[in-house]
Amino acid sequence: MIAKPKGTYDLLDLEAKLYNYIEDLAHKYMVNYNYEYIRTPIFEASELFHRTVGESSDIVTKETYDFKDRGERNITLRPECTAGVVRSVIENKLYGNRNDALKYYYLGTMYRYERPQAGRFRELTQLGVEVFNSFDPLIDAEVISLGYNFIKELGIENFCVKLNSLGDKETRTTYREVLKKYFEPHLEELCPDCQNRYQTNPLRILDCKVDKDLSIFKNVPKISDYLSLESKDYFQKLKEYLTLLDVDYELDPNLVRGLDYYDYDVWEYTTPDGIAIGGGGRYNNLVKELGGPELPAVGFALGVDRLIIELKKLLEGKTINKEIDCYIMSINEEEKRFALTIAQDLRLNNVICEINSTNLSLKSQFKLADNYHAKFLIILNSEELNKGLITVKDNATKEEIKLDEKDLVDYIISNI
Ligand code: HAM
C-alpha cells in the first residue's frame, strides 16, 4: 500500500462536507462585499517568494518546496497566495487607470514544509482577500471585519482579533534599533534562530515560540511607543472603525507576523487556545518592490483546515444526516430503465435523488432509502408502469399514492 505524504490528509465524510460548506459560503459572502474571484498558479518562479515573503522569514528559509523543472527553472510551490496575486496584478496591469479599490479573493492549496502537528499541515488550504489601491483605515476595517464576520457566519464564535501596528518604515527603523539595543546584552540567552533574527530582522524575535517565556521578554519596549505621528493617527482611526463595526479586538504589542512584507496594521484571528485561524496585514511597499507602481495594499488569509477543525469541535457528539429527496426503487430491466430516465428528469429539476445501481433486493432498497433519509420513495413496478402509473410513498407519514406517470415530477417538486 502506498501511504499519503507526511503532512497531508484526505478530505473525507464530514470534513469534505465542511470544506464544501466553507467554500460555498465564501463565494456567496464575497459577492456581498464586492470582491472578485482570482485564481493564480500553484507554482511560481522561486524568486517571487524570496522577494515577497522575505529572506528572513521561516517560510522562505526552511519551509518552501523548491525544485528545478525540466527546463532548469527554479520553481517553488506557493507557500501563500499574496505574492502570486501581487504578481498577477502587476503582470496583467490590473490597476490600469482605476481610481477605485481593486478587491480580490482566492481559495486554494498552499505548500509549506513544516513539522506536521495538530492543525499544521504541509498541504494547506487558504481563503484569502487582497485589496489594492486604497490607503484609508476604512478599507483595513472592512477587510478585518470581513474575515471576522465570515468566521462568525460559519458558526465559530469563540475567537478574537489580535491587533498591532508595525507603523511605517520610519517607525520600524527606529524600533529595530531600540530592540537591538535592548536584546544586545541578552544575546546569549536567545535561541539560535533569534540570534540570527537579531541580525536580519530583530522584530521577528518578538513572536518566537521558543523564547517567549524568557524573563527578558517581560519588559520589551513596545512598538506602540515608537509609532510615527502618521502611523499613530492611522491606527487610532482603524481602532475606532473596528469598534463601530462591533469587531471584538485585543491589542497585542508582540504580534509581528512571520512574513516580511507588512507595515501599518497586522492582525490574527485567534482561538482561546492560541491557534491562529487566520492572519493578515497592510503591505504598502510590496507592489513597488516587485516592479509595479506605487500601490498600497491590505489583505488576510484564513486557514481553511483550521476552520474545519474548529467546526468539527462544534459538531462533536452531533450526527449529521445525509438527506435526499427521493429514492427510486427498481428490480427488473424495464423498471431500471424507467428509474434512470425519471432520476434524470428529477435531477434536472433540482430534486436530489438516488437509484438502485447495485442490484439490491426490494427489502435492502427500503433499508437504504431510510439510511439516506429519503423524503419520498418512488416504487416502480412493471405492471403499474404498463398502465402508466407510479407509486409514491411519503417516507415520514408512510402514506402511499398512485400517480399518473406524467404528473410525477410536478408532484415531487411541489411536495419536497
Ligand atoms: P499566514 O499567517 O502565514 O499568512 O497564514 C494564514 C493562515 O493560514 C494562518 O493563520 C493559518 O490559519 C493558516 N496556516 C498557515 N500555515 C499553515 C499550516 N502549515 N497548516 C495549516 N494551516 C496553516 C499568510 O499566508 C498571508 N499571505 C496572509 C495575508 C494575505 N497577508 C496579507 N494578505
Side-chain angles (χ1 to χ4, degrees):
M1 190 197 72
I2 301 168
K4 61 185 179 307
K6 203 171 164 187
T8 66
Y9 68 101
D10 300 313
L11 260 183
L12 302 169
D13 304 328
L14 178 61
E15 285 173 359
K17 284 200 189 85
L18 290 173
Y19 179 86
N20 278 345
Y21 165 59
I22 294 169
E23 180 170 13
D24 286 352
L25 189 68
H27 290 302
K28 282 184 207 133
Y29 214 77
M30 297 297 170
V31 171
N32 295 352
Y33 282 80
N34 200 26
Y35 283 65
E36 275 176 45
Y37 183 57
I38 187 166
R39 202 175 144 132
T40 59
I42 288 178
F43 63 88
E44 299 265 4
S46 302
E47 195 197 348
L48 179 69
F49 301 108
H50 289 266
R51 286 176 55 185
T52 54
V53 174
E55 298 289 0
S56 73
S57 70
D58 282 355
I59 296 180
V60 161
T61 51
K62 308 182 208 149
E63 295 169 6
T64 48
Y65 278 88
D66 302 310
F67 59 97
K68 271 196 195 303
D69 70 7
R70 286 170 203 267
E72 291 296 301
R73 297 172 198 90
N74 290 316
I75 296 291
T76 295
L77 297 184
R78 62 182 183 191
E80 55 104 58
C81 205
T82 309
V85 173
V86 170
R87 192 233 356 101
S88 179
V89 166
I90 298 171
E91 194 169 353
N92 297 301
K93 294 198 169 53
L94 298 177
Y95 44 86
N97 286 326
R98 288 179 60 167
N99 59 4
D100 59 340
L102 283 73
K103 313 206 292 188
Y104 297 105
Y105 78 96
Y106 51 83
L107 181 78
T109 45
M110 316 289 151
Y111 298 85
R112 296 186 185 182
Y113 194 81
E114 297 203 70
R115 204 152 52 86
Q117 47 185 279
R120 177 162 297 154
F121 306 102
R122 290 187 173 170
E123 182 182 66
L124 56 129
T125 302
Q126 286 186 342
L127 163 66
V129 310
E130 311 294 347
V131 178
F132 301 89
N133 209 24
S134 170
F135 185 31
D136 185 321
L138 183 120
I139 200 76
D140 303 60
E142 174 183 297
V143 168
I144 295 172
S145 61
L146 189 168
Y148 180 80
N149 292 333
F150 180 77
I151 298 169
K152 288 211 147 185
E153 183 78 26
L154 286 175
I156 301 167
E157 293 282 337
N158 213 357
F159 73 100
C160 87
V161 178
K162 292 247 156 88
L163 180 69
N164 193 17
S165 173
L166 304 179
D168 51 15
K169 261 195 174 148
E170 181 197 330
T171 304
R172 286 193 307 284
T173 311
T174 315
Y175 185 58
R176 213 167 274 141
E177 288 316 307
V178 172
L179 277 186
K180 281 188 111 167
K181 261 207 192 99
Y182 180 79
F183 282 115
E184 197 180 355
H186 307 283
L187 260 181
E188 303 272 279
E189 298 167 45
L190 299 177
C191 72
D193 274 347
C194 281
Q195 291 182 6
N196 256 335
R197 288 170 188 145
Y198 179 84
Q199 300 299 344
T200 54
N201 189 354
L203 262 77
R204 296 253 8 253
I205 298 175
L206 296 181
D207 73 350
C208 177
K209 306 282 176 284
V210 180
D211 289 343
K212 68 177 183 355
D213 296 325
L214 292 177
S215 60
I216 40 162
F217 276 74
K218 289 206 178 87
N219 300 314
V220 182
K222 291 193 169 79
I223 196 163
S224 49
D225 294 330
Y226 297 90
L227 288 179
S228 68
L229 218 56
E230 197 218 336
S231 310
K232 215 180 210 159
D233 278 355
Y234 197 92
F235 199 41
Q236 181 55 32
K237 272 235 170 87
L238 171 61
K239 288 185 283 185
E240 286 167 21
Y241 292 159
L242 289 176
T243 305
L244 210 63
L245 292 172
D246 286 329
V247 172
D248 177 19
Y249 70 86
E250 217 171 74
L251 296 179
D252 180 350
N254 288 345
L255 181 72
V256 291
R257 310 260 307 127
L259 304 112
D260 284 357
Y261 47 62
Y262 293 117
D263 53 3
Y264 290 85
D265 40 299
V266 288
W267 69 93
E268 275 179 357
Y269 305 98
T270 315
T271 64
D273 32 3
I275 295 164
I277 43 181
R282 176 161 279 284
Y283 51 99
N284 281 356
N285 301 305
L286 191 57
V287 181
K288 183 114 193 269
E289 274 164 23
L290 280 177
E294 197 104 31
L295 204 63
V298 61
F300 71 80
L302 302 179
V304 173
D305 315 86
R306 294 189 185 171
L307 293 175
I308 291 175
I309 291 171
E310 291 306 308
L311 288 172
K312 269 174 70 179
K313 281 188 208 158
L314 293 177
L315 292 172
E316 236 161 65
K318 296 187 182 128
T319 46
I320 296 178
N321 291 332
K322 190 171 187 163
E323 233 177 53
I324 65 171
D325 296 319
C326 300
Y327 186 85
I328 306 171
M329 305 174 72
S330 61
I331 293 284
N332 62 31
E333 179 62 20
E334 187 190 2
E335 292 160 10
K336 277 187 189 170
R337 280 169 187 259
F338 205 86
L340 194 63
T341 55
I342 207 75
Q344 173 166 278
D345 285 351
L346 288 167
R347 287 164 176 165
L348 293 180
N349 280 287
N350 298 321
V351 177
I352 308 166
C353 57
E354 188 53 286
I355 52 177
N356 165 32
S357 60
T358 52
N359 290 321
L360 294 176
S361 68
L362 263 189
K363 194 174 160 204
S364 302
Q365 290 185 56
F366 273 113
K367 216 165 157 193
L368 193 61
D370 282 345
N371 287 348
Y372 282 140
H373 297 274
K375 289 182 203 129
F376 287 100
L377 307 183
I378 298 175
I379 306 166
L380 302 181
N381 166 308
S382 295
E383 259 176 50
E384 285 183 354
L385 286 180
N386 288 336
K387 294 182 206 147
L389 291 176
I390 290 177
T391 300
V392 176
K393 180 173 177 180
D394 182 320
N395 210 20
T397 63
K398 307 293 175 202
E399 267 171 43
E400 272 188 27
I401 54 161
K402 285 197 199 319
L403 290 174
D404 197 302
E405 183 190 307
K406 64 179 184 328
D407 297 331
L408 178 72
V409 174
D410 283 344
Y411 177 83
I412 298 288
I413 292 173
S414 47
N415 284 285
I416 54 173

